[in-house]
Amino acid sequence: MATNKNKGELDALLDVKRKEGAGKFTEEKSRIYADGITSVASSGILEKALNVGDKAPNFTLKNALNKSVSLYNNLQNGPVVLTWYRGGWCPYCNITLHYLQEKLPEFQKAGATLIALTPELPDNSLSTSEKNKLEFTVLSDVGNTIGKKYGVVFTLTDEVATIYEASFGLSEMNGDKSNQLPLAATYVIDTKGIIQYAFLDADYRERAEATDILTALNKLN
């Protein structure tokens, strides 16, 4: 099930974007996006995705500078906050990434490493990192290979996929024509590789609050 979250600083920032979208979209486009969220919710993904108490699968992926990064290697140094974002084309993702960057010192103070995964090709994820001045690790999960192991990947409805392709070329961004994206999921993984906090939501406009992440991290100490 989706994790309940406190409405906090990040939600207030995202709400500005939500209202902007509601005022800008045609009724048809709003319906298509709403149907897309309903499709994700009814797909069973929230029940099947890895959740609290599950073992987090290890992975090794290349960062934007072509350096290999391993989850379990990072866990040797402390817990990991693992979060997914859809791509640099997603305004909600950019707001969230910028916010997480601001909160990075607090995560580090709690002993944690922050790692973000995206299905974007490395060149595109590098652009996103530079644009948002990110100092945490961003890894390209091309083909959503790791996302699928965590159970957080879904297929867009045909209508949403058509809009994304026409608007910014999703298949070019991700290097495939699968029309698949990850949930904007966030996990806190302890040093034994066990998930201690999970934020899962069918609505890409909803994101994990830093206060909830920090609460989970502080419980580990």
Side-chain angles (χ1 to χ4, degrees), residues 25-213:
F25 295 156
T26 61
E27 277 187 33
E28 175 73 355
K29 197 169 191 178
S30 294
R31 178 195 64 75
I32 289 171
Y33 284 159
D35 287 351
I37 293 168
T38 300
S39 170
V40 176
S42 61
S43 71
I45 189 171
L46 299 179
E47 290 75 29
K48 293 172 187 169
L50 294 188
N51 214 317
V52 174
D54 290 328
K55 180 87 169 177
N58 191 24
F59 60 81
T60 301
L61 290 172
K62 296 284 182 69
N63 65 13
L65 301 174
N66 208 35
K67 180 185 173 188
S68 292
V69 176
S70 158
L71 171 64
Y72 279 28
N73 281 355
N74 275 282
L75 288 176
Q76 291 175 12
N77 302 319
V80 167
V81 178
L82 183 63
T83 190
W84 275 261
Y85 74 92
R86 293 154 21 112
W89 49 267
C90 167
Y92 297 96
C93 297
N94 287 319
I95 290 168
T96 303
L97 290 170
H98 186 73
Y99 177 78
L100 290 173
Q101 175 58 41
E102 287 185 349
K103 298 297 178 181
L104 185 59
E106 294 180 51
F107 298 147
Q108 291 171 335
K109 188 178 178 185
T113 301
L114 175 60
I115 298 175
L117 299 188
T118 177
E120 283 190 315
L121 293 172
D123 283 355
N124 294 324
S125 65
L126 178 60
S127 169
T128 302
S129 291
E130 290 173 342
K131 182 172 67 178
N132 290 285
K133 297 183 172 64
L134 304 183
E135 294 168 15
F136 53 86
T137 301
V138 175
L139 302 176
S140 285
D141 181 19
V142 179
N144 285 297
T145 305
I146 307 307
K148 288 172 184 173
K149 288 183 179 179
Y150 282 75
V152 298
V153 179
F154 65 92
T155 302
L156 295 167
T157 63
D158 290 342
E159 286 182 305
V160 173
T162 299
I163 290 175
Y164 284 179
E165 198 60 39
S167 298
F168 55 85
L170 179 65
S171 60
E172 192 175 334
M173 289 286 183
N174 292 355
D176 67 48
K177 296 185 184 299
S178 68
N179 290 328
Q180 291 184 326
L181 288 175
L183 298 173
T186 297
Y187 293 114
V188 170
I189 304 167
D190 70 18
T191 53
K192 294 178 182 174
I194 305 300
I195 296 169
Q196 297 293 348
Y197 166 83
F199 175 81
L200 302 162
D201 201 300
D203 189 342
Y204 58 88
R205 299 168 301 179
E206 299 286 340
R207 305 294 169 112
E209 286 286 350
T211 48
D212 294 337
I213 296 168

